[in-house]
Every structure is written in structure tokens, then in C-alpha cells.
Amino acid sequence: MLTTMMEPQLLGWLSPLVISVVLVISVFAFYGLLVKTRRNSNKLDSTTSKIHHDRTVTSTVGSLNVNGGDTVSDVIVVGAGVAGSALAYTLGKDNRRVHVIERDLSEPDRIVGELLQPGGYLKLLELGIEDCVEEIDAQRVYGYALFKNGKRIRLAYPLEKFHTDVSGRSFHNGRFIQRMREKAASLPNVQLEQGTVVSLLEENGTIKGVRYKNKAGEESTAFAALTIVCDGCFSNLRRSLCNPQVDVPSCFVGLVLENCNLPYANHGHVVLADPSPILMYPISSTEVRCLVDVPGQKVPSIANGEMENYLKTVVAPQMPHEVYDSFIAAVNKGNIKSMPNRSMPASPYPTPGALLMGDAFNMRHPLTGGGMTVALSDIVVLRNLLRPLRDLSDGSSLCKYLESFYTLRKPVASTINTLANALYKVFCSSKDEARNEMREACFDYLSLGGMCTSGPVSLLSGLNPRPLTLVCHFFAVAVYGVIRLLIPFPSPKRMWLGAKLISGASGIIFPIIKAEGVRQMFFPATVPAYYRAPPVKGETKCS
């Protein structure tokens, strides 16, 4: 009772105090990481150079003849998913000759890539492709609802300052991609072709194009000044262009709930279940996507009925009562799919003539639905960098110039990546009492209202992707959890638990930030590539 009475009073002085404390902690922590990173920079540079030299080159050719019957374009885009299709249209609209090669042009059937945050919708507007969410029965999304142990809260997106059309959108992934492909193919200078890219073509360290098998199975080559690889999370080309460090923390098990009335219409729903979260959101006017997170890389077998039993006995009892019957009906129907959730920080090799984008380049846990927002934001950055250039033929100079892409994208991309990976760890249940206290504190912190709600939700929605804001709120949750433990009477056990909570919070977020790159994430203006000017002839070659 006393704790309940004191919490509103506590909030009045908690926010400025927490922000001040967090800023001090963050500055010292980041300084330490930055010093350590800089001490190792020379060693990393030499190692990267060696790796880049020794990496497996998918195809090396002596002298490429582009005057035969082979296709020659300004840009080759490998993959026509969300990133590839949007990129092809964007570059095509800027009068580039774009050749898109996609393994399968039929409508995809996926269980992720179905929720576009408001920040991602703003990027659609900026790219002029917002009509791709029309005529596919897409649903507007205005926020989230959180459920935990019988308690529930609604978290609205802070959309007050935006046009009424701005909101999240949820839809069938395949329908959205087909609309994007149609949009790209509508431009006369964009060629969309079905084919499987076998290898990159390299000459004297510069990527000149690709070798691929067309729809008829015939091997062909295509050449371009710039090849952009967007072939998704299962990319077979990324190893030539980056140092992939893929982590698979969990798998999603997906079902479609039909004629299901969610507790909060036009909202995403997150159930903080045991052992890990459950997501639900509408993907059409009659269907709701349900994603059950299963920790680890293996899921119960669907074929022998283990999965059905797991969903009915472990998951169903934790679902909101409003959706229980629809969930059981979906399980009985048997259309259950699964896929691994991958996380991979961006770690590119600057390669003349080539660039990585989308999930082939950078992934985060899909819990927050931030993947499409990152991809579309990256396309805006790249478009703005390429617009001043009419000639892309000097691969070495272009490579050096496009190093700025990796810096300019960082504040937005790394904020969304860090939030997704950190929030997943916080939302999972644990045998560690301190981790469970952090989970409880996060739920209660979001329930406080004011900036304690709007700040984290603005990060989640992609409307305010600022790294320092993320760190401040993350540690504000941790400090709030400690204060909850110490009120009304601190004890040695509670103080020790509070110390473990702070330590655990640091152990969650700092490794993620370090993998993203402290300097590029928080201090991009200190990176020389931040100021790169468009190349001119005679500029120094890229090493």
C-alpha cells in the first residue's frame, strides 16, 4: 500500500534524476568502450585488410567483354524483396538503368515482414511509394498493447504532430512485395527478371556484375557500374562483401487467427509470456497474425504433433481470453509455420563496384518490427548520396565515397537494432531473479505515462530513433527497478538484487552497442567518412 502511494510522488523527481544519472553513466561507459575500440583500431584495420584479401571470391575473370549480348546497366539489384523492389524503383525514378534479378517472382508467403512501423511509413512517403500499402487490405496500426500476468496496458504511437494518414501498417508480406515489384516494373528503365544469381563477377578487385541462371536455366551474365546485393536473410553472396556474424536467439512459430477480435483494435499485441513473448497484429480485415517466440534454434516438431501439444498446453493458457478460442482453432487447423530469428550487425568490406543492403547486410530480432523501417531508411540515405552522381563507372572512387553510407545510416539503424535485441532479452523470462525484476520494471515503467511511455514508444515506432534517448530510457527502467526494490525499506538482499539488476542491464545493452559501433552510433560526425564529398575524376583509389 505504501509503495503504491509513493510511486506517483516518486515519478515527479525520478525522471530528471534518472536522466542525469544515466547521462553520466553513459558518458563514462561509452568513453571506456571508445578508448578500447580506438586502441584496437590499427589491429582491426590490418586484420580486416587481410580478411578482405583472403575472402572467397565468388567469380574472378580476367578481362570482361561487355560488348557482346550481355546485359549492361547502371545498377544491378540482386533480390526483389522489400529492400530490392523499393531500391529499384527509387533509382529508376532517378533515371538510372536498373536490372533486378529475383530468384522467384511469384508472391512470397512469409510469417514476418508484415508490420511496418510509422517511421517506416514516413520513409515510404519520402520515396513516393506509399500507394503500395493500398489495395492489399492493409490495416492501420496506432500502437501496442502489453499483457503480463493478467495486467494489460495500451501504448499509443505519438502521432499528434503528423498528418492523419501517418500510422503503422500491417499486411500480408507477399501482397506488399508484389505491389512494390509492380511499382518498380512500371518504370521503362527498370528490368525485372526471374533468375538465380550464382556469383559476382570480379576484375582487378572491382565487382563488374553477376553471373546468373535465368528462368529457363540458361547461364547468363549481367554487367553494371554498381551491383547492390539485397537477397535477404539467406543471402549466399554476403560472405564476399562482409564478415557475417549471425546469431539465432530464437525461432518464430506463426499461425493465422481467423475472424479474431483482438482486445485492442488496430494495435499490435505483445504478451510477456513464459518463456518468451507472443506477438499478434491484424494482417487483413479478417485475419490476425500470431507469432509465438520459441527460444533457441530448435522448435518442437510439427510433423509428429509435438508443436500442436506445445501450443495448446504451454502457449494457449497464457493468451488473452478474447483470442483463446481463435488460437485453438488455428492450431487445430494445422497451418503452422516456423522460421529462425536472425540477428547480424553490419560489418561490411568496402568493395569497389558492390554494396550490401537489407537483411543480407544487417538484421535484428523481429520482435519490434523494425526491419523494413531500417531498409527503407537506408534506401533514402543511399538515394541522397547517389543523386549528385551521373557517372558510377569509377568503382574505386565510388567505393570510397559510399563509405559515408555506412556512417550516415548508423544513428537510425543502430537505434532500431539495439532496441530490438535488448528488448527481446528483457521481455524473455529468466531463472535470474534480477532479470525478472528488470522485466517487471519495464512493464511498470511503460505504464507510468508521460515521457516514460511516449519516449520508448517513439523509439519503437521509428519516429524518434535517437541512440542517446534509447540508452537513457533503458537505464531509467533499470534505476526505476532498483528504486522499486528499495521502497519502502531497503534490505541487504534487495540492495544486492538492485546491484545485479544494474549489472544485468549493462550486460544486455553494452555488448549490443559495441557490436553496432560506439563511435558511428553516438558520434558519427567524428568519423571522416561522414564528410565525404561526391567523387571527381582523379580522386584517390579505394584501398
Side-chain angles (χ1 to χ4, degrees), residues 75-77 83 86-88 90-91 94 96 126-127 226-230 354-358 361 374-389 392 398 401-406 408-409:
V75 180
I76 292 172
V77 176
L87 180 63
T90 300
L91 297 180
D94 283 350
R96 311 276 185 191
E126 198 169 346
L127 295 171
L226 179 62
T227 299
I228 304 178
V229 176
C230 305
L355 198 69
L356 271 172
M357 292 194 74
F361 166 55
V374 172
L376 294 169
S377 176
D378 284 354
I379 291 169
V380 171
V381 172
L382 182 62
R383 177 201 64 181
N384 294 341
L385 285 172
L386 292 180
R387 267 186 172 171
L389 307 179
L392 305 178
L398 182 63
Y401 172 58
L402 289 182
E403 285 180 11
S404 61
F405 166 75
Y406 303 120
L408 294 172
R409 70 178 292 273

Side-chain angles (χ1 to χ4, degrees), residues 22-42:
V22 169
L23 282 173
V24 173
I25 293 173
S26 301
V27 168
F28 279 103
F30 295 148
Y31 178 74
L33 282 172
L34 184 59
V35 169
K36 185 176 180 181
T37 301
R38 294 185 68 178
R39 283 176 180 172
N40 293 328
S41 62
N42 292 334

Side-chain angles (χ1 to χ4, degrees), residues 15 146 232 245 271 365 444 495:
S15 297
L146 251 59
Q245 298 177 352
V271 181
H365 195 283
D444 290 348
M495 292 174 67

Side-chain angles (χ1 to χ4, degrees), residues 144 252 270 277 279 364-370 420 423-425 427 460:
Y144 275 86
F252 266 158
V270 182
L279 307 182
R364 75 294 307 152
H365 195 283
L367 173 69
T368 60
L423 206 58
Y424 174 71
K425 292 185 177 182
F427 278 0
L460 179 68

Side-chain angles (χ1 to χ4, degrees), residues 389 394-402 532-542:
L389 307 179
D394 188 344
S396 297
S397 296
L398 182 63
C399 165
K400 192 170 185 66
Y401 172 58
L402 289 182
R532 288 274 154 80
V536 293
K537 286 190 176 182
E539 203 172 77
T540 304
K541 298 291 184 182
C542 176

